[in-house]
Amino acid sequence: MNTEQLILSIGVILLATRLFGWIFQRMGQPRVVGEMTAGIVLGPSLFGRFFPATFAHVFPPSSMPALTVLSQLGLLLFMFVVGLEVDLKSILKQRAAVVLISNISIVLPLALGVGLATVLYPQLAGEQVSFSSFALFMGTAMSITAFPVLARILKERHLLGTALGTIAISSAAIDDISAWLLLAVLTAMVHSAQSWHHLAVTLLLLVIFVVIMLVPIRRAASFLEPLYQKQGAGMEYISTLVLILLAASWTTERLGVHALFGAFMAGLVMPKKEPMIARVVERIESLSLALLLPLFFALTGLRTRVDLLAGRSMWGYTAAIVATAVLGKLAGAAFTARATGMNWKDSLGLGVLMNTRGLVELVILNAGLDLGVLSPPLFTMMVLMALVTTLMTTPLLIAMKI
């Protein structure tokens, strides 16, 4: 692939994601929803279908390797930021109500996802994937809450400092940690499909990695605070963080666990001083959100084939996936919140917020497709589910006057 072609592909992607992001913001939706939509529009289902010659010129097969590498780097930076924004100490101090709400909002959709997997597995699972791996993936995908998108929705609606916002963001943080642990286990299962001994060794090494990150590495990372106090979030400080991120990602990839889990853990164990975190997030997001993540949205769109959903049965499966996802997260969080003493309005509002899936869901789904757990049609159905559940959040909150 030549440089001219790469520049053209990236330019078209950035233009489309910025345009759709702006349009959706004007509609009261988070920018990321527009960027997710732009990715699907750029794919073979719309752009490729109506303008096939232009599509082939803008996105030739030779462009995919370079775009994939750049998007993967963006995902590693994104997952590092997600981990960075999760305060482990505050989670450990949460009251029983938050722990119960977060756990039920994971367990119920997880169980429903496993149940749905029994119906989908014969026709829509990836080739040569075991039912146990497929079922675990479907359960994990159903239990996702998009922590970063949720934080932005809460900020935009001035809910971040309220009791509802605090419970929502804390529950979402616990959900994120649980989801990435489940993905790590799933990845180990897929890579060790032919050997239980290999799986046991991988899981043991994963536990050792988590312990090392949470204890010695977390303590060692506290020495980064004096460096920040001395130089701020300058080149040396950011470079150090990126090196830690890459080391953790490389380690988990070598263990047979997804590199994204290492990036998330690297962010999770960093010092959580508020001014420092805000500055680091700003510096990293200025690159990843502006350039690298739009490439990921475009690649997701290129993999999303709505034309594969031909016939009533395929759309019926899609509707069942969306209904199961909404029922599991919204009902699980809402009824548990009500049982802990919240009023019905706030309980339903919490359920709506926890049902937000956004970019984190797309990351999980792409990992599932790469691992061979999902077939292309099922991947498309799940992407549509992620888009619908994220789109519905803001309108429902407005309708409920929250």
Side-chain angles (χ1 to χ4, degrees):
M1 179 183 183
N2 58 44
T3 304
E4 179 184 345
Q5 183 63 63
L6 179 61
I7 292 172
L8 175 63
S9 299
I10 293 176
V12 170
I13 291 168
L14 292 182
L15 180 62
T17 52
R18 289 295 164 267
L19 176 61
F20 276 79
W22 178 80
I23 291 172
F24 274 71
Q25 275 192 316
R26 299 286 290 179
M27 293 166 54
Q29 291 282 354
R31 174 183 286 272
V32 68
V33 178
E35 293 175 340
M36 289 166 62
T37 305
I40 295 176
V41 170
L42 287 174
S45 301
L46 290 170
F47 184 35
R49 180 177 181 180
F50 294 105
F51 305 97
T54 307
F55 176 79
H57 178 67
V58 175
F59 299 114
S62 60
S63 70
M64 293 303 103
L67 292 177
T68 300
V69 169
L70 290 173
S71 70
Q72 288 299 312
L73 178 58
L75 286 183
L76 292 178
L77 291 171
F78 170 74
M79 288 313 306
F80 179 75
V81 168
V82 172
L84 205 60
E85 292 181 325
V86 175
D87 190 342
L88 201 57
K89 285 185 178 179
S90 68
I91 289 175
L92 294 175
K93 294 178 181 177
Q94 291 300 329
R95 61 182 189 271
V98 173
V99 176
L100 183 63
I101 291 168
S102 62
N103 285 337
I104 297 298
S105 69
I106 293 170
V107 172
L108 180 58
L110 182 69
L112 291 176
V114 170
L116 187 62
T118 61
V119 178
L120 300 177
Y121 180 73
Q123 296 185 55
L124 295 169
E127 295 181 6
Q128 299 180 346
V129 64
S130 67
F131 174 75
S132 58
S133 296
F134 179 73
L136 178 59
F137 180 85
M138 290 300 298
T140 302
M142 291 294 176
S143 62
I144 291 293
T145 293
F147 179 85
V149 176
L150 178 61
R152 283 156 181 77
I153 291 175
L154 291 172
K155 187 175 181 180
E156 289 172 5
R157 301 200 60 78
H158 309 290
L159 293 170
L160 211 49
T162 64
L164 175 60
T166 301
I167 293 174
I169 204 70
S170 301
S171 299
I174 296 172
D175 278 18
D176 255 15
I177 294 174
S178 302
W180 289 105
L181 281 170
L182 287 171
L183 181 64
V185 172
L186 171 67
T187 309
M189 287 174 63
V190 172
H191 288 162
S192 308
Q194 305 302 321
S195 171
W196 283 102
H197 171 73
H198 186 267
L199 174 61
V201 171
T202 301
L203 292 178
L204 176 61
L205 292 174
L206 175 62
V207 171
I208 294 172
F209 169 78
V210 171
V211 171
I212 290 173
M213 291 297 292
L214 291 177
V215 184
I217 300 299
R218 190 177 173 204
R219 289 179 179 175
S222 64
F223 291 103
L224 290 172
E225 290 188 48
L227 179 61
Y228 175 82
Q229 296 296 335
K230 182 180 179 181
Q231 298 184 359
M235 186 66 67
E236 185 176 345
Y237 184 79
I238 297 297
S239 297
T240 303
L241 293 183
V242 171
L243 284 172
I244 295 172
L245 151 69
L246 293 176
S249 301
W250 179 86
T251 301
T252 52
E253 191 70 22
R254 288 287 295 174
L255 291 178
V257 178
H258 210 290
L260 293 173
F261 180 72
F264 176 76
M265 287 299 302
L268 190 66
V269 302
M270 289 297 108
K272 303 298 180 182
K273 298 293 182 181
E274 187 59 39
M276 180 174 64
I277 293 297
R279 183 63 178 144
V280 170
V281 169
E282 179 186 353
R283 291 293 300 273
I284 294 178
E285 284 191 340
S286 63
L287 172 64
S288 61
L289 291 184
L291 175 62
L292 300 177
L293 281 181
L295 303 183
F296 169 71
F297 290 125
L299 288 173
T300 300
L302 293 172
R303 291 172 146 192
T304 303
R305 297 285 307 277
V306 180
D307 56 300
L308 295 177
L309 307 185
R312 291 184 179 180
S313 63
M314 298 298 276
W315 285 105
Y317 286 135
T318 305
I321 288 170
V322 173
T324 303
V326 173
L327 176 65
K329 285 304 272 190
L330 200 156
F335 284 108
T336 308
R338 178 59 182 156
T340 61
M342 291 179 67
N343 61 53
W344 271 116
K345 181 180 178 180
D346 285 347
S347 297
L348 291 172
L350 179 63
V352 170
L353 289 166
M354 294 298 288
N355 190 46
T356 304
R357 284 175 173 82
L359 174 55
V360 176
E361 182 73 31
L362 295 188
V363 176
I364 294 282
L365 296 180
N366 276 274
L369 188 61
D370 291 336
L371 290 169
V373 177
L374 299 179
S375 64
L378 183 54
F379 174 79
T380 298
M381 295 175 190
M382 298 294 285
V383 168
L384 293 177
M385 178 272 288
L387 192 59
V388 169
T389 54
T390 308
L391 269 170
M392 65 191 293
T393 302
T394 300
L396 285 176
L397 291 176
I398 293 173
M400 297 169 64
K401 297 181 180 180
I402 293 179

